[in-house]
Amino acid sequence: MSIDARGQRMVTVGVADTEPLFRDGLATLIERTPWARMVAHSASQQGCLVMIDQLHPDVVLLTSELAPQCQFIHTLTTGGDAPRVVVVVSAHDRNSRYVAGTMAAGAYGAVARNADPHRFADAIRSVWHSHRYLDPTLRAMAGSVEQSSASAGNRGTQPLRIPLSRREFQVMQLIAEGMENAAIAKVLFLSVETVRTHVKSILRKLSARDRTHAVTIAFRSGLLQLTPLPPTETTSEENPVAAGSSPAS
């Protein structure tokens, strides 16, 4: 737990964004905010999951590039220890269906990627105090999120159709990388039997015949997506999450 100079609890923030420069900018903004502290940042879905499991940030700023169908938002926001997710909406996702989809999937807020810096601080503070936050430009575009939530999901996909848990999502990603149960168990520090249970649950939820079929469904539905490789000095396996005090990589 982080405490500021006045003895008050600070809000811990994680950032998941594919652009190093944008992550650096958010890190600078958060470090200049006296009541907030950035704990880590990541450039991928997998890194975001690791960040949440290991560091438990109060608020996560998540780029829409990592959640194009909103299903990843639902995965992050499910469970008693879930962070409060604020979706950073890129230009091509700025439409009423996507914004409604983020809120229906469990996001606490949404802010436009090109918003003024103070709006990001406003969003963090608002969701930390259990209030929903919608950037005024997105609010005007989306109209009533509550009324349009039935059509949630961008590009024609419903966000809550495949409700995998965060652990199941991690297992699904490792299956997609070609790992067998024993290897997955080693990476996630689980027993092989526990991994088997997760795999069975994934196959059932995806209505998949086998692991290969599950991977195909996951990519076609937007549950999984290809993300850019990190810079050559590190690999996603070596450094899926970067500490908040370090420059983004």
Side-chain angles (χ1 to χ4, degrees):
M1 180 183 297
S2 299
I3 306 295
D4 65 15
R6 297 171 295 174
Q8 297 180 345
R9 187 183 185 285
M10 299 181 72
V11 182
T12 55
V13 183
V15 173
D17 196 281
T18 56
E19 296 289 338
L21 185 59
F22 196 76
R23 294 198 303 270
D24 281 343
L26 286 177
T28 300
L29 171 67
I30 293 166
E31 291 303 323
R32 289 177 179 174
T33 304
W35 44 264
R37 182 175 70 87
M38 183 166 168
V39 293
H41 56 75
S42 174
S44 67
Q45 292 177 331
Q46 181 184 18
C48 183
L49 289 166
V50 172
M51 174 177 67
I52 291 171
D53 284 345
Q54 295 183 356
L55 301 174
H56 308 289
D58 299 316
V59 177
V60 170
L61 299 177
L62 172 71
T63 177
S64 62
E65 298 290 339
L66 293 178
Q69 309 289 352
C70 297
Q71 298 194 52
F72 187 57
I73 299 168
H74 178 64
T75 297
L76 296 185
T77 55
T78 300
D81 60 342
R84 294 172 185 180
V85 172
V86 175
V87 180
V88 180
V89 183
S90 299
H92 68 271
D93 288 318
R94 291 184 63 176
N95 59 75
S96 60
R97 293 191 66 196
Y98 185 80
V99 174
T102 65
M103 307 305 278
Y108 259 71
V111 61
R113 190 178 182 85
N114 64 348
D116 291 337
H118 73 86
R119 294 212 191 280
F120 288 90
D122 288 346
I124 295 169
R125 177 166 30 216
S126 182
V127 301
W128 172 239
H129 289 291
S130 299
H131 302 301
R132 300 284 175 175
Y133 181 89
L134 200 55
D135 186 317
T137 62
L138 300 178
R139 191 183 309 135
M141 180 192 313
S144 172
V145 170
E146 290 78 10
Q147 292 179 3
S148 56
S149 61
S151 63
N154 193 30
R155 304 163 198 162
T157 299
Q158 294 296 320
L160 308 185
R161 185 164 57 186
I162 307 174
L164 297 186
S165 69
R166 291 207 298 272
R167 184 62 83 187
E168 288 169 347
F169 195 94
Q170 287 178 306
V171 171
M172 183 72 255
Q173 287 185 312
L174 296 176
I175 291 174
E177 292 177 11
M179 290 190 180
E180 297 297 331
N181 290 352
I184 293 172
K186 184 176 180 180
V187 169
L188 298 180
F189 300 101
L190 300 173
S191 70
V192 175
E193 186 57 38
T194 298
V195 173
R196 261 194 220 104
T197 299
H198 286 314
V199 172
K200 289 179 182 178
S201 179
I202 291 168
L203 295 181
R204 175 178 54 80
K205 288 182 177 181
L206 301 187
S207 300
R209 297 184 301 272
D210 52 33
R211 297 158 73 100
T212 301
H213 189 207
V215 171
T216 301
I217 293 171
F219 278 108
R220 284 181 177 174
S221 69
L223 181 66
L224 293 181
Q225 65 176 120
L226 296 174
T227 53
L229 292 174
T232 54
E233 61 265 22
T234 59
T235 67
S236 58
E237 291 80 12
E238 294 169 343
N239 187 27
V241 177
S245 58
S246 303
S249 57

